[in-house]
Amino acid sequence: MRYTTRPAIDAAIPAATLLQLTNDDPAALAPDESVLLGLVAAVEELIDGYMRGRYTLPFDPVPTILQGAAIHLLRYELYARRPEGGIPDAVRDAHKTTVRLLEHVRDGVITLGVPTGQAAPEPGEIRVRSRRKQFGDAAWRAY
């Protein structure tokens, strides 16, 4: 887990909710760690997808804004795993806001303030070719 830690997850998501959203077995007594780790990996790949090309990855240390983003995205993914229960409006709104935040970081509207992260140069270079002038100043004056 690069963008979040288990204690941060436990602080943001109540234990009973985490238990219900990660387990397919209703008699389970502990959250399914493999499901949780799979969703965390998916969230980290999504964040990396937005950051790739603008910052050098992996981050060291991870900016706190991305730690919070990872928690919001993880909560959404956990609820999306159980579509029959619906996604709470607060979780859905936090997800929309987080995706918009990541888009702003990707587009350079918001910077992370990472001292080791370097903004990548824009890809490509523009070159223009043109023909030699056929009509110079003297030719235009003759008209």
Side-chain angles (χ1 to χ4, degrees), residues 54-113:
R54 179 145 312 266
Y55 291 98
T56 303
L57 299 177
F59 290 107
D60 186 31
V62 174
T64 55
I65 195 168
L66 294 181
Q67 292 172 1
I71 292 291
H72 290 300
L73 293 172
L74 179 62
R75 285 179 61 211
Y76 182 84
E77 291 300 324
L78 284 167
Y79 277 100
R81 220 180 145 260
R82 299 276 186 237
E84 66 276 358
I87 299 174
D89 290 337
V91 173
R92 185 176 289 120
D93 292 343
H95 179 261
K96 285 180 186 176
T97 303
T98 302
V99 169
R100 206 171 358 192
L101 170 78
L102 292 173
E103 288 171 349
H104 286 321
V105 172
R106 176 197 64 200
D107 297 339
V109 175
I110 297 174
T111 61
L112 298 178

Side-chain angles (χ1 to χ4, degrees), residues 24-42:
D24 295 331
D25 179 13
L29 299 175
D32 188 341
E33 293 298 322
S34 64
V35 170
L36 185 62
L37 290 176
L39 291 175
V40 167

Side-chain angles (χ1 to χ4, degrees), residues 3-20:
Y3 292 114
T4 190
T5 61
R6 184 55 198 256
I9 293 170
D10 291 338
I13 303 169
T17 303
L18 195 59
L19 176 66
Q20 291 172 353

